[in-house]
Amino acid sequence: MSTTDANAQLDRAMNGKFASVALKVAIYALPFVLTIAGSVVSWMLNDIRSIQAEQGKGLQQVTSDVQVVNAKLDNGVIWRIAELERRLNTVEQAQKTP
């Protein structure tokens, strides 16, 4: 098979009905397909962003709840230490008195 035969086959393939139909479909349908695909991707991104915003609000709520729990625990520990110190002072005072 010579190069002229290959070129002739390639030329026939380029000028064939399937190639011309495929070219017309690509020219006219591709913009619509790309527009629809872009719209779907945009819709999905907006959905993901709204989910992330809801998760961010939930995370902020959990963070504030943890801070409240930490503050309550700190107050409880401080109160317990003060109570133990008061008891220790009472015991020391009792030992000093004859």
Side-chain angles (χ1 to χ4, degrees):
M1 186 166 181
S2 67
T3 56
T4 53
D5 289 339
N7 287 340
Q9 284 181 344
L10 198 62
D11 190 41
R12 277 187 299 224
M14 292 289 290
N15 293 328
K17 289 193 185 244
F18 179 74
S20 65
V21 168
L23 183 62
K24 287 180 183 177
V25 166
I27 288 173
Y28 294 112
L30 193 60
F32 294 115
V33 171
L34 291 177
T35 302
I36 291 171
S39 298
V40 168
V41 168
S42 173
W43 175 73
M44 290 172 66
L45 285 175
N46 284 336
D47 193 36
I48 289 170
R49 286 182 183 145
S50 67
I51 290 171
Q52 284 180 336
E54 290 173 12
Q55 288 176 345
K57 289 177 185 175
L59 183 62
Q60 287 176 349
Q61 181 63 38
V62 169
T63 302
S64 67
D65 290 347
V66 167
Q67 289 174 347
V68 168
V69 168
N70 282 340
K72 287 182 179 181
L73 286 174
D74 289 347
N75 285 340
V77 168
I78 290 169
W79 176 83
R80 185 67 179 152
I81 290 172
E83 189 65 26
L84 291 173
E85 186 177 0
R86 185 188 63 78
R87 287 183 182 180
L88 182 63
N89 287 339
T90 305
V91 169
E92 286 176 351
Q93 199 66 18
Q95 286 179 350
K96 289 181 183 175
T97 351

mmCIF file of all heavy atoms in Angstrom, residues 1 6 9 11-13 20 27 30 35 37 40 45 50-51 57 60 63 68 71 78 80-82 92 94-95 97:
data_model
loop_
_atom_site.group_PDB
_atom_site.id
_atom_site.type_symbol
_atom_site.label_atom_id
_atom_site.label_comp_id
_atom_site.label_asym_id
_atom_site.label_seq_id
_atom_site.Cartn_x
_atom_site.Cartn_y
_atom_site.Cartn_z
ATOM 1 N N MET A 1 0.848 -1.165 0.000
ATOM 2 C CA MET A 1 0.000 0.000 0.000
ATOM 3 C C MET A 1 0.897 1.232 0.000
ATOM 4 O O MET A 1 1.703 1.418 0.881
ATOM 5 C CB MET A 1 -0.879 -0.046 1.243
ATOM 6 C CG MET A 1 -1.884 1.019 1.292
ATOM 7 S SD MET A 1 -3.015 0.509 2.596
ATOM 8 C CE MET A 1 -4.116 1.761 2.560
ATOM 9 N N ALA A 6 -2.901 5.556 0.871
ATOM 10 C CA ALA A 6 -3.223 5.919 2.254
ATOM 11 C C ALA A 6 -3.789 7.325 2.307
ATOM 12 O O ALA A 6 -4.758 7.587 3.036
ATOM 13 C CB ALA A 6 -1.985 5.808 3.132
ATOM 14 N N GLN A 9 -7.361 7.222 1.039
ATOM 15 C CA GLN A 9 -8.279 6.686 2.035
ATOM 16 C C GLN A 9 -8.557 7.722 3.126
ATOM 17 O O GLN A 9 -9.690 7.882 3.577
ATOM 18 C CB GLN A 9 -7.702 5.412 2.655
ATOM 19 C CG GLN A 9 -7.804 4.208 1.767
ATOM 20 C CD GLN A 9 -7.234 2.974 2.441
ATOM 21 O OE1 GLN A 9 -6.519 3.082 3.433
ATOM 22 N NE2 GLN A 9 -7.536 1.810 1.875
ATOM 23 N N ASP A 11 -8.386 10.942 2.766
ATOM 24 C CA ASP A 11 -9.180 11.994 2.151
ATOM 25 C C ASP A 11 -10.647 11.575 2.060
ATOM 26 O O ASP A 11 -11.540 12.373 2.348
ATOM 27 C CB ASP A 11 -8.629 12.309 0.763
ATOM 28 C CG ASP A 11 -9.255 13.562 0.171
ATOM 29 O OD1 ASP A 11 -9.419 14.530 0.944
ATOM 30 O OD2 ASP A 11 -9.573 13.549 -1.034
ATOM 31 N N ARG A 12 -10.882 10.325 1.693
ATOM 32 C CA ARG A 12 -12.267 9.821 1.628
ATOM 33 C C ARG A 12 -12.900 9.799 3.025
ATOM 34 O O ARG A 12 -14.068 10.115 3.187
ATOM 35 C CB ARG A 12 -12.296 8.419 1.027
ATOM 36 C CG ARG A 12 -12.288 8.441 -0.485
ATOM 37 C CD ARG A 12 -12.485 7.056 -0.981
ATOM 38 N NE ARG A 12 -11.336 6.280 -0.455
ATOM 39 C CZ ARG A 12 -10.631 5.410 -1.135
ATOM 40 N NH1 ARG A 12 -10.947 5.128 -2.358
ATOM 41 N NH2 ARG A 12 -9.615 4.785 -0.598
ATOM 42 N N ALA A 13 -12.109 9.434 4.030
ATOM 43 C CA ALA A 13 -12.627 9.395 5.395
ATOM 44 C C ALA A 13 -12.978 10.795 5.888
ATOM 45 O O ALA A 13 -13.979 10.994 6.577
ATOM 46 C CB ALA A 13 -11.617 8.750 6.325
ATOM 47 N N SER A 20 -18.715 14.417 8.154
ATOM 48 C CA SER A 20 -19.421 15.695 8.037
ATOM 49 C C SER A 20 -20.531 15.802 9.088
ATOM 50 O O SER A 20 -20.748 16.867 9.667
ATOM 51 C CB SER A 20 -19.987 15.877 6.632
ATOM 52 O OG SER A 20 -20.978 14.906 6.360
ATOM 53 N N ILE A 27 -20.024 21.075 16.058
ATOM 54 C CA ILE A 27 -20.128 22.531 15.951
ATOM 55 C C ILE A 27 -21.386 23.052 16.638
ATOM 56 O O ILE A 27 -21.350 24.057 17.345
ATOM 57 C CB ILE A 27 -20.087 22.967 14.465
ATOM 58 C CG1 ILE A 27 -18.681 22.784 13.915
ATOM 59 C CG2 ILE A 27 -20.525 24.418 14.313
ATOM 60 C CD1 ILE A 27 -18.582 23.026 12.416
ATOM 61 N N LEU A 30 -22.038 20.829 20.681
ATOM 62 C CA LEU A 30 -21.016 20.933 21.724
ATOM 63 C C LEU A 30 -21.209 22.147 22.632
ATOM 64 O O LEU A 30 -21.075 22.011 23.849
ATOM 65 C CB LEU A 30 -19.619 20.905 21.097
ATOM 66 C CG LEU A 30 -18.463 20.699 22.053
ATOM 67 C CD1 LEU A 30 -18.622 19.360 22.780
ATOM 68 C CD2 LEU A 30 -17.143 20.724 21.305
ATOM 69 N N THR A 35 -22.455 23.943 28.012
ATOM 70 C CA THR A 35 -23.240 24.828 28.865
ATOM 71 C C THR A 35 -23.969 24.026 29.940
ATOM 72 O O THR A 35 -23.987 24.405 31.122
ATOM 73 C CB THR A 35 -24.258 25.625 28.027
ATOM 74 O OG1 THR A 35 -23.544 26.373 27.042
ATOM 75 C CG2 THR A 35 -25.077 26.560 28.892
ATOM 76 N N ALA A 37 -23.123 21.023 31.038
ATOM 77 C CA ALA A 37 -22.119 20.469 31.957
ATOM 78 C C ALA A 37 -21.628 21.544 32.924
ATOM 79 O O ALA A 37 -21.467 21.293 34.126
ATOM 80 C CB ALA A 37 -20.945 19.890 31.173
ATOM 81 N N VAL A 40 -24.306 22.108 35.580
ATOM 82 C CA VAL A 40 -24.343 21.022 36.556
ATOM 83 C C VAL A 40 -23.184 21.142 37.538
ATOM 84 O O VAL A 40 -23.354 21.001 38.757
ATOM 85 C CB VAL A 40 -24.334 19.647 35.842
ATOM 86 C CG1 VAL A 40 -24.078 18.518 36.823
ATOM 87 C CG2 VAL A 40 -25.644 19.431 35.104
ATOM 88 N N LEU A 45 -21.124 22.637 42.922
ATOM 89 C CA LEU A 45 -20.225 23.439 43.752
ATOM 90 C C LEU A 45 -21.007 24.283 44.764
ATOM 91 O O LEU A 45 -20.594 24.406 45.919
ATOM 92 C CB LEU A 45 -19.350 24.330 42.877
ATOM 93 C CG LEU A 45 -18.216 23.628 42.134
ATOM 94 C CD1 LEU A 45 -17.508 24.605 41.203
ATOM 95 C CD2 LEU A 45 -17.236 23.020 43.108
ATOM 96 N N SER A 50 -22.697 25.130 50.377
ATOM 97 C CA SER A 50 -23.727 25.262 51.414
ATOM 98 C C SER A 50 -23.538 24.193 52.491
ATOM 99 O O SER A 50 -23.721 24.476 53.682
ATOM 100 C CB SER A 50 -25.124 25.174 50.802
ATOM 101 O OG SER A 50 -25.370 23.879 50.285
ATOM 102 N N ILE A 51 -23.148 22.997 52.102
ATOM 103 C CA ILE A 51 -22.885 21.939 53.084
ATOM 104 C C ILE A 51 -21.704 22.328 53.965
ATOM 105 O O ILE A 51 -21.732 22.144 55.184
ATOM 106 C CB ILE A 51 -22.642 20.586 52.374
ATOM 107 C CG1 ILE A 51 -23.947 20.076 51.763
ATOM 108 C CG2 ILE A 51 -22.075 19.558 53.335
ATOM 109 C CD1 ILE A 51 -23.774 18.875 50.866
ATOM 110 N N LYS A 57 -20.803 26.074 60.761
ATOM 111 C CA LYS A 57 -21.638 26.538 61.866
ATOM 112 C C LYS A 57 -21.689 25.497 62.978
ATOM 113 O O LYS A 57 -21.625 25.825 64.162
ATOM 114 C CB LYS A 57 -23.048 26.846 61.371
ATOM 115 C CG LYS A 57 -23.134 28.081 60.511
ATOM 116 C CD LYS A 57 -24.538 28.296 59.996
ATOM 117 C CE LYS A 57 -24.592 29.469 59.019
ATOM 118 N NZ LYS A 57 -25.929 29.613 58.426
ATOM 119 N N GLN A 60 -18.408 25.564 64.872
ATOM 120 C CA GLN A 60 -18.339 26.707 65.782
ATOM 121 C C GLN A 60 -19.148 26.439 67.050
ATOM 122 O O GLN A 60 -18.730 26.798 68.153
ATOM 123 C CB GLN A 60 -18.861 27.970 65.091
ATOM 124 C CG GLN A 60 -17.918 28.528 64.051
ATOM 125 C CD GLN A 60 -18.513 29.717 63.318
ATOM 126 O OE1 GLN A 60 -19.703 30.010 63.445
ATOM 127 N NE2 GLN A 60 -17.702 30.401 62.536
ATOM 128 N N THR A 63 -17.195 24.036 69.193
ATOM 129 C CA THR A 63 -16.061 24.737 69.794
ATOM 130 C C THR A 63 -16.507 25.573 70.992
ATOM 131 O O THR A 63 -15.861 25.551 72.042
ATOM 132 C CB THR A 63 -15.379 25.639 68.749
ATOM 133 O OG1 THR A 63 -14.960 24.824 67.653
ATOM 134 C CG2 THR A 63 -14.175 26.352 69.318
ATOM 135 N N VAL A 68 -17.094 26.159 77.021
ATOM 136 C CA VAL A 68 -17.940 26.248 78.217
ATOM 137 C C VAL A 68 -17.616 25.098 79.172
ATOM 138 O O VAL A 68 -17.486 25.296 80.386
ATOM 139 C CB VAL A 68 -19.435 26.241 77.822
ATOM 140 C CG1 VAL A 68 -20.328 26.031 79.034
ATOM 141 C CG2 VAL A 68 -19.806 27.530 77.109
ATOM 142 N N ALA A 71 -14.346 25.744 80.878
ATOM 143 C CA ALA A 71 -14.485 26.757 81.934
ATOM 144 C C ALA A 71 -15.131 26.162 83.174
ATOM 145 O O ALA A 71 -14.705 26.432 84.307
ATOM 146 C CB ALA A 71 -15.302 27.936 81.413
ATOM 147 N N ILE A 78 -10.707 24.516 90.621
ATOM 148 C CA ILE A 78 -10.304 25.605 91.523
ATOM 149 C C ILE A 78 -11.078 25.514 92.843
ATOM 150 O O ILE A 78 -10.513 25.662 93.927
ATOM 151 C CB ILE A 78 -10.517 26.976 90.842
ATOM 152 C CG1 ILE A 78 -9.498 27.145 89.712
ATOM 153 C CG2 ILE A 78 -10.407 28.113 91.843
ATOM 154 C CD1 ILE A 78 -9.771 28.327 88.809
ATOM 155 N N ARG A 80 -12.389 22.821 94.179
ATOM 156 C CA ARG A 80 -11.925 21.632 94.910
ATOM 157 C C ARG A 80 -10.582 21.901 95.589
ATOM 158 O O ARG A 80 -10.360 21.506 96.738
ATOM 159 C CB ARG A 80 -11.809 20.447 93.942
ATOM 160 C CG ARG A 80 -11.449 19.168 94.600
ATOM 161 C CD ARG A 80 -12.560 18.696 95.491
ATOM 162 N NE ARG A 80 -12.173 17.433 96.092
ATOM 163 C CZ ARG A 80 -12.596 17.005 97.258
ATOM 164 N NH1 ARG A 80 -13.454 17.704 97.939
ATOM 165 N NH2 ARG A 80 -12.187 15.867 97.730
ATOM 166 N N ILE A 81 -9.671 22.586 94.899
ATOM 167 C CA ILE A 81 -8.375 22.917 95.495
ATOM 168 C C ILE A 81 -8.569 23.843 96.695
ATOM 169 O O ILE A 81 -7.933 23.661 97.744
ATOM 170 C CB ILE A 81 -7.431 23.531 94.446
ATOM 171 C CG1 ILE A 81 -7.001 22.457 93.443
ATOM 172 C CG2 ILE A 81 -6.211 24.170 95.095
ATOM 173 C CD1 ILE A 81 -6.230 22.989 92.250
ATOM 174 N N ALA A 82 -9.444 24.821 96.572
ATOM 175 C CA ALA A 82 -9.706 25.742 97.684
ATOM 176 C C ALA A 82 -10.298 24.981 98.871
ATOM 177 O O ALA A 82 -9.933 25.235 100.036
ATOM 178 C CB ALA A 82 -10.646 26.856 97.233
ATOM 179 N N GLU A 92 -4.025 21.450 110.169
ATOM 180 C CA GLU A 92 -2.785 22.063 110.700
ATOM 181 C C GLU A 92 -3.085 22.855 111.976
ATOM 182 O O GLU A 92 -2.317 22.847 112.922
ATOM 183 C CB GLU A 92 -2.132 22.964 109.644
ATOM 184 C CG GLU A 92 -1.452 22.217 108.537
ATOM 185 C CD GLU A 92 -0.898 23.144 107.469
ATOM 186 O OE1 GLU A 92 -1.186 24.360 107.491
ATOM 187 O OE2 GLU A 92 -0.157 22.648 106.608
ATOM 188 N N ALA A 94 -5.469 22.283 114.059
ATOM 189 C CA ALA A 94 -5.795 21.340 115.133
ATOM 190 C C ALA A 94 -4.519 20.718 115.710
ATOM 191 O O ALA A 94 -4.440 20.442 116.900
ATOM 192 C CB ALA A 94 -6.717 20.256 114.601
ATOM 193 N N GLN A 95 -3.510 20.528 114.905
ATOM 194 C CA GLN A 95 -2.251 19.951 115.388
ATOM 195 C C GLN A 95 -1.451 20.953 116.228
ATOM 196 O O GLN A 95 -0.742 20.580 117.156
ATOM 197 C CB GLN A 95 -1.393 19.468 114.226
ATOM 198 C CG GLN A 95 -1.886 18.203 113.589
ATOM 199 C CD GLN A 95 -1.009 17.773 112.412
ATOM 200 O OE1 GLN A 95 -0.148 18.514 111.972
ATOM 201 N NE2 GLN A 95 -1.245 16.572 111.919
ATOM 202 N N THR A 97 -2.708 23.302 118.128
ATOM 203 C CA THR A 97 -3.351 23.561 119.429
ATOM 204 C C THR A 97 -3.169 22.342 120.332
ATOM 205 O O THR A 97 -3.439 21.232 119.939
ATOM 206 C CB THR A 97 -4.854 23.801 119.224
ATOM 207 O OG1 THR A 97 -5.187 23.922 117.895
ATOM 208 C CG2 THR A 97 -5.321 24.954 120.022
#
